[in-house]
């Protein structure tokens, strides 16, 4: 890759990160505010009932385009036949899964033993076709690295969804507030992407294009299904065998655990996937970028989650309220999972860009099998047991994911911990300082030393 082309690509990356960073910060601040208000207006039972439906929400992203969007981004050359074929296959799949979701709403309600979730499932199923209508345009915007359009449509959807959620919650709609938020956000986002994308589908379908794109997307689709099972099996099992209130507490803890991954790793991954795809033949440059970006992500996510472990009791009591006390221990345990996962966000982008989807699928099988086994075993000890089991299985399998990525980049797997060594040391120092500061005797000693220096500023009482 020539220096001129790389310079142009680097400019697009920085602009993309600026758009992703700014819009994600705005959405995150809004999401935190909305979450806090909804936690006050809704009960753990409301969250649990809605959680039984929302646990299937990520299927919308998986089935929305059958991973054809990933193939559109990765391919070096595209024809209009490729684009139109991907669009009509995506829309057809979206319609099919909307119908199936409505048809299976009653059996799913029977599975949970909660008839109230049937209409929630039916309405949530509309998201399949709604998302599919914009999935190809989203992929093309990503391929051209037009993150302005992508971010504006997400922000518009988030604002509309938040407005609907707060209105419904205020009117006492209970779990409908969370379902309304999801469906509204998807609808507005799909409408806006048609505004920002200039491409329009032709009434054309090519079997040759489908075979070419499907050879790549099939393995990515399978991996996404396995990742979905890994991410949601615990929620299904908790909701089925422990109860709606327990699932509400677990959902709150899980969402906090995913904050760094969703708000830092995922946006960076979205920007760098088309970048890595364009640089796929320049392996040393991709390797350097992978290590450098992971160091930046780790310097933000690791201290944030380690700090959450230390202040979880106070955070829950002050921000969420005493009714969420059962989530404290789960938050502290899942924070470790969040640390591990925040450092793996770029791996799938690298493996897809390098066309190592077989390795990606192999990892998906392993992580899914390990997590399902852990969740079933952990159920015997309740919420905390599930969380501990998840942490244990993640600790075992996540290093394998790193090894696969390092091998695809022709570098030693030990280059990864070496790149993050300084971050690890800083986090350990921060945790040690916080742990020491929580000891009452240390606070008293600090107060005496400050008084000797003539500093009369009061020291807060020790945290319990």
């Amino acid at each position: 890759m020539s220096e001129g082309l790389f310079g142009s690509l680097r400019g697009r990356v920085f602009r993309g990160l600026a758009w992703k960073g700014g819009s994600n910060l705005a959405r995150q601040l809004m999401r935190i505010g909305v979450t806090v208000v909804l936690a006050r207006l809704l009960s753990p039972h409301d969250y649990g009932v809605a959680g039984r439906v929302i646990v299937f929400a990520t299927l919308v992203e998986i089935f929305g385009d059958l991973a054809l969007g990933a193939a559109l981004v990765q391919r070096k050359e595209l024809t209009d036949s490729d684009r139109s074929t991907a669009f009509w296959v995506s829309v057809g799949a979206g319609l099919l899964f909307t119908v199936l979701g409505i048809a299976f709403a009653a059996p799913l309600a029977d599975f949970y033993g909660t008839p109230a979730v049937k209409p929630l499932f039916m309405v949530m199923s509309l998201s399949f076709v709604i998302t599919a209508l914009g999935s190809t345009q989203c992929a093309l915007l990503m391929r051209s690295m037009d993150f302005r359009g992508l971010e504006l449509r997400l922000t518009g959807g988030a604002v509309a969804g938040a407005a609907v959620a707060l209105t419904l919650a205020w009117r006492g709609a209970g779990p409908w507030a969370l379902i309304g938020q999801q469906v509204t956000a998807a609808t507005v986002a799909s409408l806006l992407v048609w505004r920002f994308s200039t491409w329009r589908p032709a009434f054309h379908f090519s079997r040759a294009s489908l075979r070419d794109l499907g050879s790549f997307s099939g393995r990515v689709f399978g991996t996404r299904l396995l990742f979905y099972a890994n991410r949601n099996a615990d929620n299904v099992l908790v909701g089925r065998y422990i109860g709606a209130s327990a699932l509400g507490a677990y959902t709150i803890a899980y969402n906090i655990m995913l904050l760094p991954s969703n708000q830092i790793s995922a946006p960076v991954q979205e920007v760098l996937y088309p970048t890595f795809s364009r640089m796929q033949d320049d392996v040393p440059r991709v390797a350097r970028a992978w290590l450098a970006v992971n160091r930046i992500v780790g310097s933000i996510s690791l201290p944030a989650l380690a700090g959450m472990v230390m202040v979880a009791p106070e955070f829950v009591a002050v921000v969420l309220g005493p009714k969420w006390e059962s989530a404290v221990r789960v938050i502290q345990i899942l924070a470790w999972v969040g640390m591990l996962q925040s450092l793996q966000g770029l791996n799938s982008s690298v493996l897809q860009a390098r066309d190592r989807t077989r390795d990606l699928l192999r990892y998906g099988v392993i992580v899914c099998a390990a997590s399902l086994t852990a969740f079933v075993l952990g159920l015997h000890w309740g919420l905390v047991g599930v969380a501990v089991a998840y942490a244990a299985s993640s600790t075992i399998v996540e290093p394998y994911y790193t090894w696969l990525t390092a091998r695809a980049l022709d570098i030693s797997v030990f280059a990864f911990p070496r790149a993050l060594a300084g971050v690890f040391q800083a986090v350990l120092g921060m945790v040690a300082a916080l742990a020491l500061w929580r000891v009452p005797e240390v606070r008293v000693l600090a107060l005496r030393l400050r008084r000797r220096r003539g500093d009369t500023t009061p020291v807060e009482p020790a945290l319990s």
Side-chain angles (χ1 to χ4, degrees):
M1 179 178 293
S2 67
E3 289 301 320
L5 181 57
F6 177 70
S8 173
L9 188 59
R10 182 168 52 190
R12 291 189 180 190
V13 170
F14 287 148
R15 286 193 295 273
L17 290 173
W19 270 105
K20 294 293 293 185
S23 60
N24 269 279
L25 177 60
R27 289 198 301 271
Q28 181 56 30
L29 291 174
M30 181 183 67
R31 188 176 290 113
I32 291 173
V34 171
T35 299
V36 171
V37 175
L38 289 178
R40 296 286 182 175
L41 293 174
L42 302 177
S43 67
H45 183 267
D46 291 332
Y47 263 90
V49 171
R52 290 170 170 175
V53 179
I54 293 175
V55 70
F56 294 97
T58 49
L59 280 176
V60 173
E61 299 177 8
I62 298 172
F63 289 100
D65 68 349
L66 302 179
L68 289 169
L72 292 176
V73 175
Q74 195 270 346
R75 285 295 181 260
K76 294 179 181 180
E77 306 235 348
L78 279 183
T79 65
D80 196 58
S81 181
D82 294 332
R83 300 180 184 93
S84 294
T85 298
F87 176 83
W88 293 116
V89 171
S90 299
V91 172
L95 282 170
L96 174 63
F97 291 116
T98 290
V99 172
L100 289 175
I102 293 173
F104 281 97
L108 287 169
D110 292 339
F111 170 77
Y112 282 119
T114 309
V117 304
K118 178 182 175 181
L120 299 177
F121 271 117
M122 296 177 74
V123 172
M124 192 70 193
S125 296
L126 296 174
S127 298
F128 285 107
V129 68
I130 291 170
T131 301
L133 286 168
S135 61
T136 301
Q137 280 84 350
C138 287
L140 296 177
L141 287 176
M142 182 180 293
R143 178 181 174 85
S144 63
M145 303 184 72
D146 182 1
F147 292 101
R148 173 183 176 275
L150 288 170
E151 291 310 300
L152 288 177
R153 64 111 190 175
L154 288 175
T155 301
V159 170
V164 168
L166 293 174
T167 301
L168 291 177
W170 183 261
R171 290 177 172 269
W176 279 105
L178 299 173
I179 303 304
Q181 181 181 26
Q182 297 279 333
V183 176
T184 301
T187 302
V188 173
S190 289
L191 289 172
L192 288 176
V193 79
W194 279 78
R195 163 66 179 81
F196 294 116
S197 174
T198 58
W199 178 82
R200 296 293 180 264
F203 290 100
H204 180 73
F205 178 85
S206 168
R207 291 185 178 180
S209 291
L210 182 59
R211 283 194 299 269
D212 179 55
L213 296 173
S215 64
F216 178 93
S217 65
R219 290 187 290 270
V220 176
F221 176 71
T223 302
R224 289 180 180 178
L225 277 178
L226 292 166
F227 282 179
Y228 167 82
N230 177 53
R231 279 284 178 94
N232 294 282
D234 49 350
N235 293 284
V236 173
L237 293 171
V238 168
R240 175 65 177 83
Y241 295 105
I242 304 181
S245 296
L247 178 58
Y250 192 82
T251 299
I252 285 287
Y254 201 91
N255 288 339
I256 291 172
M257 177 269 284
L258 286 178
L259 278 178
S261 178
N262 288 342
Q263 304 308 316
I264 301 173
S265 298
V268 171
Q269 176 185 2
E270 188 173 344
V271 173
L272 291 184
Y273 175 49
T275 307
F276 289 160
S277 295
R278 294 189 180 204
M279 296 164 51
Q280 58 185 278
D281 295 327
D282 192 348
V283 180
R285 199 183 297 274
V286 175
R288 290 195 297 271
W290 178 63
L291 293 173
V293 174
N294 270 311
R295 185 164 53 245
I296 295 172
V297 170
S299 67
I300 300 172
S301 63
L302 298 185
L305 286 167
M308 179 57 69
V309 173
M310 305 301 296
V311 304
E314 293 74 29
F315 173 83
V316 170
V318 175
V319 178
L320 301 180
K323 63 184 177 182
W324 295 99
E325 184 179 355
S326 59
V328 172
R329 186 63 62 83
V330 182
I331 289 173
Q332 292 175 318
I333 297 169
L334 290 185
W336 169 249
V337 180
M339 292 185 216
L340 292 172
Q341 293 186 357
S342 69
L343 298 176
Q344 309 297 324
L346 292 180
N347 294 354
S348 63
S349 293
V350 171
L351 293 173
Q352 288 180 49
R354 294 281 295 142
D355 203 5
R356 299 294 183 89
T357 50
R358 293 185 187 277
D359 287 343
L360 190 60
L361 183 60
R362 185 182 303 115
Y363 168 74
V365 171
I366 292 173
V367 72
C368 185
S371 296
L372 286 174
T373 302
F375 295 150
V376 171
L377 293 174
L379 280 174
H380 294 84
W381 292 274
L383 275 185
V384 173
V386 173
V388 170
Y390 192 11
S393 66
S394 296
T395 303
I396 295 171
V397 300
E398 295 297 350
Y400 175 64
Y401 200 13
T402 303
W403 178 79
L404 285 175
T405 308
R407 188 179 67 170
L409 295 173
D410 297 326
I411 62 174
S412 169
V413 69
F414 296 107
F416 187 80
R418 284 199 298 268
L420 289 160
V423 177
F424 294 149
Q425 293 170 4
V427 171
L428 289 174
M430 181 199 77
V431 170
L434 284 174
L436 190 62
W437 190 247
R438 292 175 73 94
V439 179
E441 290 78 5
V442 174
R443 302 293 292 271
V444 172
L445 178 60
L447 177 59
R448 289 175 179 173
L449 292 174
R450 293 174 69 177
R451 284 176 175 171
R452 289 180 183 178
R453 296 195 302 266
D455 186 350
T456 59
T457 304
V459 177
E460 296 84 353
L463 297 171
S464 57

